[in-house]
Amino acid sequence: MKKYPDVSQILAKKALSRKALEQLPVNEKIKIMETLSKVAKQARRDAKAVNMPSKQVPKSTKVT
Amino acid sequence: MRKTITFTNEPNNSTSATTPSVSITSAAPAEKSLDKTFKVINQMVTDGVIESYALGGAMASLFYTEPFATFDVDTFCFINGITNELDPLRPIYDYLRPRKVPEYAEGFIIEGLRVQFLPVFNPLNDEGVQTAKSFSVNDVIIQVMAPEYLVANMLETGRKKDHTRIAQFFEAAVCDTDKLNDILSRHKLKSKLEALQKTWDAL
Protein backbone atom coordinates (compact mmCIF):
# COMPACT_ATOMS: atom_id res chain seq x y z
CA MET A 1 0.00 0.00 0.00
CA LYS A 2 1.29 3.43 -0.94
CA LYS A 3 2.40 5.46 2.06
CA TYR A 4 1.26 9.02 2.49
CA PRO A 5 2.65 11.75 4.74
CA ASP A 6 0.92 12.76 7.95
CA VAL A 7 -0.98 15.99 7.37
CA SER A 8 -2.92 16.09 10.63
CA GLN A 9 -0.83 19.00 11.96
CA ILE A 10 -1.25 20.92 8.71
CA LEU A 11 -5.01 20.43 8.72
CA ALA A 12 -5.24 21.34 12.42
CA LYS A 13 -3.33 24.60 11.86
CA LYS A 14 -5.50 25.31 8.82
CA ALA A 15 -8.60 24.94 10.99
CA LEU A 16 -7.10 27.27 13.62
CA SER A 17 -6.18 29.79 10.96
CA ARG A 18 -9.75 29.69 9.68
CA LYS A 19 -11.04 30.34 13.21
CA ALA A 20 -8.66 33.29 13.49
CA LEU A 21 -10.05 34.68 10.25
CA GLU A 22 -13.54 34.40 11.68
CA GLN A 23 -12.43 36.71 14.49
CA LEU A 24 -11.17 39.44 12.16
CA PRO A 25 -13.00 42.76 12.17
CA VAL A 26 -15.64 43.01 9.48
CA ASN A 27 -13.74 45.61 7.45
CA GLU A 28 -10.72 43.29 7.26
CA LYS A 29 -12.90 40.43 6.12
CA ILE A 30 -14.45 42.67 3.48
CA LYS A 31 -11.00 43.63 2.18
CA ILE A 32 -9.96 39.99 1.89
CA MET A 33 -13.21 38.97 0.19
CA GLU A 34 -13.01 41.92 -2.23
CA THR A 35 -9.50 40.88 -3.22
CA LEU A 36 -10.49 37.26 -3.70
CA SER A 37 -13.62 38.25 -5.55
CA LYS A 38 -11.52 40.27 -8.03
CA VAL A 39 -9.11 37.36 -8.39
CA ALA A 40 -11.96 34.90 -8.97
CA LYS A 41 -13.69 37.16 -11.53
CA GLN A 42 -10.49 37.68 -13.45
CA ALA A 43 -9.63 33.98 -13.46
CA ARG A 44 -13.12 33.02 -14.60
CA ARG A 45 -13.02 35.62 -17.35
CA ASP A 46 -9.58 34.64 -18.61
CA ALA A 47 -9.49 30.87 -18.00
CA LYS A 48 -9.49 28.55 -20.97
CA ALA A 49 -9.49 24.78 -20.61
CA VAL A 50 -6.40 23.31 -22.23
CA ASN A 51 -6.61 19.93 -23.88
CA MET A 52 -3.69 18.14 -22.24
CA PRO A 53 -4.10 14.37 -21.96
CA SER A 54 -4.21 13.67 -18.24
CA LYS A 55 -3.22 10.42 -16.61
CA GLN A 56 -6.38 8.35 -16.39
CA VAL A 57 -6.77 6.13 -13.36
CA PRO A 58 -7.94 2.76 -14.65
CA LYS A 59 -11.34 1.71 -13.29
CA SER A 60 -9.90 -1.63 -12.30
CA THR A 61 -7.33 -0.06 -9.97
CA LYS A 62 -7.99 -1.27 -6.49
CA VAL A 63 -7.67 1.27 -3.76
CA THR A 64 -6.40 -0.36 -0.58
CA MET B 1 -26.72 22.36 -19.44
CA ARG B 2 -22.92 22.13 -19.72
CA LYS B 3 -21.05 25.31 -20.52
CA THR B 4 -18.97 25.16 -23.67
CA ILE B 5 -15.29 25.77 -23.12
CA THR B 6 -12.64 26.71 -25.64
CA PHE B 7 -10.01 24.00 -26.03
CA THR B 8 -6.53 24.50 -27.35
CA ASN B 9 -3.84 21.85 -27.81
CA GLU B 10 -0.87 22.00 -25.49
CA PRO B 11 2.01 19.64 -24.69
CA ASN B 12 1.20 16.83 -22.28
CA ASN B 13 0.65 18.18 -18.83
CA SER B 14 3.62 20.47 -18.80
CA THR B 15 3.67 23.77 -17.03
CA SER B 16 5.61 25.11 -19.97
CA ALA B 17 8.81 23.89 -21.55
CA THR B 18 10.01 27.45 -21.77
CA THR B 19 8.94 28.71 -18.32
CA PRO B 20 11.39 31.44 -17.47
CA SER B 21 12.89 31.50 -14.02
CA VAL B 22 10.48 33.49 -11.90
CA SER B 23 11.77 35.84 -9.29
CA ILE B 24 9.68 35.81 -6.16
CA THR B 25 9.33 39.00 -4.23
CA SER B 26 8.00 39.28 -0.74
CA ALA B 27 6.09 42.47 -1.59
CA ALA B 28 2.41 41.87 -2.32
CA PRO B 29 1.63 43.00 -5.87
CA ALA B 30 -0.88 45.80 -6.29
CA GLU B 31 -2.93 43.60 -8.60
CA LYS B 32 -3.31 40.07 -7.28
CA SER B 33 -4.19 37.32 -9.71
CA LEU B 34 -4.21 33.55 -9.73
CA ASP B 35 -1.91 33.45 -12.74
CA LYS B 36 0.78 35.44 -10.91
CA THR B 37 0.57 33.08 -7.96
CA PHE B 38 0.63 29.97 -10.11
CA LYS B 39 3.53 31.26 -12.16
CA VAL B 40 5.50 30.91 -8.94
CA ILE B 41 4.05 27.48 -8.17
CA ASN B 42 4.81 26.32 -11.71
CA GLN B 43 8.39 27.49 -11.16
CA MET B 44 8.49 25.29 -8.06
CA VAL B 45 7.57 22.36 -10.31
CA THR B 46 10.28 23.32 -12.80
CA ASP B 47 12.79 23.58 -9.95
CA GLY B 48 11.82 20.12 -8.73
CA VAL B 49 10.38 21.05 -5.32
CA ILE B 50 6.92 19.91 -6.37
CA GLU B 51 6.43 16.95 -8.67
CA SER B 52 2.92 17.95 -9.67
CA TYR B 53 -0.03 19.74 -8.13
CA ALA B 54 -3.71 20.47 -8.48
CA LEU B 55 -5.64 23.45 -7.24
CA GLY B 56 -8.41 22.12 -5.06
CA GLY B 57 -10.81 23.35 -2.45
CA ALA B 58 -13.16 26.25 -2.91
CA MET B 59 -10.87 28.25 -5.20
CA ALA B 60 -10.92 25.41 -7.74
CA SER B 61 -14.69 25.66 -8.00
CA LEU B 62 -14.50 28.96 -9.87
CA PHE B 63 -13.28 27.08 -12.91
CA TYR B 64 -16.52 25.06 -13.01
CA THR B 65 -19.25 26.90 -11.16
CA GLU B 66 -19.82 30.08 -9.21
CA PRO B 67 -16.96 30.98 -6.88
CA PHE B 68 -17.33 30.09 -3.22
CA ALA B 69 -16.15 32.34 -0.43
CA THR B 70 -12.69 31.26 0.63
CA PHE B 71 -9.51 32.77 2.01
CA ASP B 72 -7.03 30.18 0.79
CA VAL B 73 -5.66 28.79 -2.44
CA ASP B 74 -5.55 25.09 -1.50
CA THR B 75 -2.91 23.40 -3.59
CA PHE B 76 -2.65 19.63 -3.35
CA CYS B 77 0.78 18.47 -4.39
CA PHE B 78 3.28 15.65 -4.62
CA ILE B 79 6.29 17.14 -2.86
CA ASN B 80 9.78 15.92 -3.73
CA GLY B 81 12.43 15.39 -1.10
CA ILE B 82 10.28 14.60 1.92
CA THR B 83 12.63 12.98 4.44
CA ASN B 84 10.33 13.14 7.46
CA GLU B 85 6.71 12.14 6.89
CA LEU B 86 5.71 14.13 9.96
CA ASP B 87 7.18 17.27 8.36
CA PRO B 88 6.09 16.94 4.73
CA LEU B 89 6.18 20.67 3.95
CA ARG B 90 9.89 20.97 4.83
CA PRO B 91 11.07 20.98 1.17
CA ILE B 92 8.63 23.80 0.45
CA TYR B 93 9.77 25.79 3.47
CA ASP B 94 13.41 25.20 2.40
CA TYR B 95 12.58 26.58 -1.04
CA LEU B 96 10.39 29.55 -0.16
CA ARG B 97 11.98 30.79 3.08
CA PRO B 98 15.33 31.78 1.51
CA ARG B 99 13.29 33.69 -1.04
CA LYS B 100 11.68 35.61 1.85
CA VAL B 101 8.14 34.62 0.90
CA PRO B 102 5.81 35.74 3.72
CA GLU B 103 4.22 32.97 5.80
CA TYR B 104 0.97 32.58 7.67
CA ALA B 105 -0.10 29.59 9.82
CA GLU B 106 0.99 26.65 7.66
CA GLY B 107 0.85 28.54 4.41
CA PHE B 108 2.60 31.16 2.33
CA ILE B 109 1.51 34.41 0.82
CA ILE B 110 2.59 34.09 -2.80
CA GLU B 111 2.07 37.16 -4.95
CA GLY B 112 -0.43 38.43 -2.42
CA LEU B 113 -2.60 35.29 -2.18
CA ARG B 114 -2.65 32.87 0.73
CA VAL B 115 -1.48 29.49 -0.56
CA GLN B 116 -1.94 26.38 1.52
CA PHE B 117 0.22 23.57 0.19
CA LEU B 118 -1.39 20.23 1.04
CA PRO B 119 0.76 17.16 0.48
CA VAL B 120 -1.26 14.40 -1.17
CA PHE B 121 -2.38 12.38 1.82
CA ASN B 122 -4.80 9.78 0.57
CA PRO B 123 -5.63 7.80 -2.58
CA LEU B 124 -8.50 10.16 -3.44
CA ASN B 125 -6.45 13.31 -3.67
CA ASP B 126 -3.62 11.24 -5.18
CA GLU B 127 -5.89 10.51 -8.14
CA GLY B 128 -7.23 14.06 -8.08
CA VAL B 129 -3.75 15.49 -8.63
CA GLN B 130 -2.81 12.91 -11.25
CA THR B 131 -5.92 13.61 -13.31
CA ALA B 132 -5.96 17.40 -12.90
CA LYS B 133 -7.37 19.48 -15.74
CA SER B 134 -5.22 22.18 -17.28
CA PHE B 135 -6.48 25.72 -17.62
CA SER B 136 -4.68 28.64 -19.16
CA VAL B 137 -5.11 31.97 -17.40
CA ASN B 138 -3.22 34.81 -19.06
CA ASP B 139 -0.89 32.20 -20.63
CA VAL B 140 -0.12 30.61 -17.28
CA ILE B 141 -1.12 26.96 -17.06
CA ILE B 142 -2.94 26.15 -13.83
CA GLN B 143 -3.64 22.52 -12.95
CA VAL B 144 -7.09 22.27 -11.39
CA MET B 145 -8.67 19.25 -9.77
CA ALA B 146 -11.49 17.86 -11.91
CA PRO B 147 -15.01 18.63 -10.66
CA GLU B 148 -15.71 14.96 -9.87
CA TYR B 149 -12.74 14.86 -7.50
CA LEU B 150 -13.72 18.18 -5.94
CA VAL B 151 -17.15 16.72 -5.18
CA ALA B 152 -15.63 13.49 -3.85
CA ASN B 153 -13.25 15.46 -1.60
CA MET B 154 -16.13 17.54 -0.28
CA LEU B 155 -18.14 14.38 0.44
CA GLU B 156 -15.20 12.97 2.31
CA THR B 157 -14.64 16.15 4.37
CA GLY B 158 -18.39 16.34 4.93
CA ARG B 159 -18.81 19.78 6.52
CA LYS B 160 -22.18 21.48 6.13
CA LYS B 161 -20.62 24.04 3.79
CA ASP B 162 -19.23 21.19 1.72
CA HIS B 163 -22.76 19.82 1.34
CA THR B 164 -23.94 23.23 0.17
CA ARG B 165 -21.11 23.40 -2.35
CA ILE B 166 -21.84 19.89 -3.63
CA ALA B 167 -25.43 20.96 -4.26
CA GLN B 168 -24.15 23.88 -6.33
CA PHE B 169 -21.93 21.59 -8.37
CA PHE B 170 -24.91 19.33 -9.08
CA GLU B 171 -27.14 22.25 -10.00
CA ALA B 172 -24.47 23.50 -12.40
CA ALA B 173 -24.30 19.96 -13.90
CA VAL B 174 -20.53 20.12 -14.32
CA CYS B 175 -19.73 16.57 -13.23
CA ASP B 176 -19.58 13.55 -15.50
CA THR B 177 -22.04 11.27 -13.69
CA ASP B 178 -20.38 8.00 -14.71
CA LYS B 179 -16.94 9.26 -13.73
CA LEU B 180 -18.26 10.56 -10.41
CA ASN B 181 -20.02 7.28 -9.62
CA ASP B 182 -16.86 5.35 -10.42
CA ILE B 183 -14.77 7.55 -8.12
CA LEU B 184 -17.30 7.36 -5.31
CA SER B 185 -17.55 3.56 -5.60
CA ARG B 186 -13.82 3.01 -5.57
CA HIS B 187 -13.31 5.33 -2.62
CA LYS B 188 -16.31 4.08 -0.68
CA LEU B 189 -18.13 7.41 -0.74
CA LYS B 190 -21.35 6.35 -2.46
CA SER B 191 -23.23 5.90 0.80
CA LYS B 192 -22.28 9.45 1.85
CA LEU B 193 -23.76 10.85 -1.36
CA GLU B 194 -26.87 8.73 -0.95
CA ALA B 195 -27.32 9.99 2.61
CA LEU B 196 -26.88 13.58 1.40
CA GLN B 197 -29.36 13.10 -1.43
CA LYS B 198 -31.89 11.74 1.07
CA THR B 199 -31.63 14.96 3.08
CA TRP B 200 -32.17 16.99 -0.09
CA ASP B 201 -35.15 14.86 -1.07
CA ALA B 202 -36.66 15.42 2.36
CA LEU B 203 -36.67 19.20 1.83
Side-chain angles (χ1 to χ4, degrees):
Chain A
M1 186 171 129
K2 191 170 177 179
K3 237 181 148 205
Y4 294 102
D6 182 346
V7 297
S8 51
Q9 294 266 21
I10 297 169
L11 295 176
K13 284 190 182 171
K14 191 167 153 64
L16 279 175
S17 166
R18 190 162 294 279
K19 281 212 179 321
L21 284 168
E22 287 169 12
Q23 307 300 323
L24 282 177
V26 170
N27 57 336
E28 289 295 323
K29 287 186 197 177
I30 290 171
K31 271 190 217 166
I32 294 172
M33 290 311 304
E34 278 174 350
T35 300
L36 288 170
S37 173
K38 273 190 206 159
V39 166
K41 271 187 195 153
Q42 181 256 348
R44 261 178 93 68
R45 187 189 65 226
D46 298 337
K48 290 179 181 145
V50 174
N51 194 17
M52 289 183 183
S54 60
K55 294 176 206 176
Q56 294 298 320
V57 179
K59 288 187 181 180
S60 60
T61 300
K62 267 193 182 170
V63 177
T64 54
Chain B
M1 183 190 284
R2 274 183 178 268
K3 287 184 185 172
T4 50
I5 310 169
T6 309
F7 283 80
T8 58
N9 286 322
E10 287 278 338
N12 181 18
N13 212 23
S14 65
T15 50
S16 168
T18 57
T19 304
S21 179
V22 175
S23 67
I24 304 167
T25 64
S26 56
E31 194 60 39
K32 299 173 183 60
S33 62
L34 267 185
D35 52 285
K36 286 192 178 120
T37 300
F38 276 91
K39 204 168 180 179
V40 172
I41 295 174
N42 288 343
Q43 186 64 45
M44 294 171 73
V45 175
T46 303
D47 291 345
V49 182
I50 293 173
E51 182 65 35
S52 58
Y53 71 84
L55 172 64
M59 192 64 84
S61 71
L62 68 88
F63 289 88
Y64 306 113
T65 179
E66 60 187 275
F68 302 130
T70 183
F71 292 110
D72 293 339
V73 177
D74 288 335
T75 303
F76 291 86
C77 47
F78 289 106
I79 300 173
N80 287 327
I82 295 175
T83 52
N84 178 358
E85 281 173 11
L86 296 175
D87 189 16
L89 291 179
R90 180 56 44 196
I92 290 184
Y93 281 117
D94 290 346
Y95 180 88
L96 291 176
R97 274 181 175 162
R99 290 162 172 84
K100 308 272 190 281
V101 177
E103 297 175 39
Y104 77 97
E106 282 288 295
F108 288 88
I109 300 175
I110 298 178
E111 296 293 326
L113 296 182
R114 291 160 54 106
V115 178
Q116 174 69 73
F117 290 100
L118 291 162
V120 163
F121 60 88
N122 65 24
L124 179 61
N125 47 65
D126 189 321
E127 282 182 24
V129 172
Q130 289 198 56
T131 58
K133 289 179 173 298
S134 301
F135 286 85
S136 171
V137 180
N138 290 329
D139 295 329
V140 175
I141 301 291
I142 301 177
Q143 308 293 345
V144 182
M145 214 172 262
E148 298 80 14
Y149 283 98
L150 293 175
V151 167
N153 269 316
M154 287 188 283
L155 269 172
E156 191 170 64
T157 316
R159 300 166 300 183
K160 288 189 174 58
K161 65 178 172 183
D162 292 314
H163 294 166
T164 305
R165 289 169 180 175
I166 292 169
Q168 287 177 272
F169 267 74
F170 282 4
E171 280 180 357
V174 292
C175 291
D176 178 314
T177 311
D178 289 340
K179 188 175 166 186
L180 178 63
N181 283 333
D182 172 62
I183 293 166
L184 297 183
S185 293
R186 288 188 291 103
H187 295 278
K188 299 180 180 20
L189 292 167
K190 275 217 99 159
S191 57
K192 283 198 172 184
L193 179 60
E194 281 158 10
L196 184 58
Q197 283 170 328
K198 273 194 185 140
T199 64
W200 291 338
D201 291 342
L203 292 171

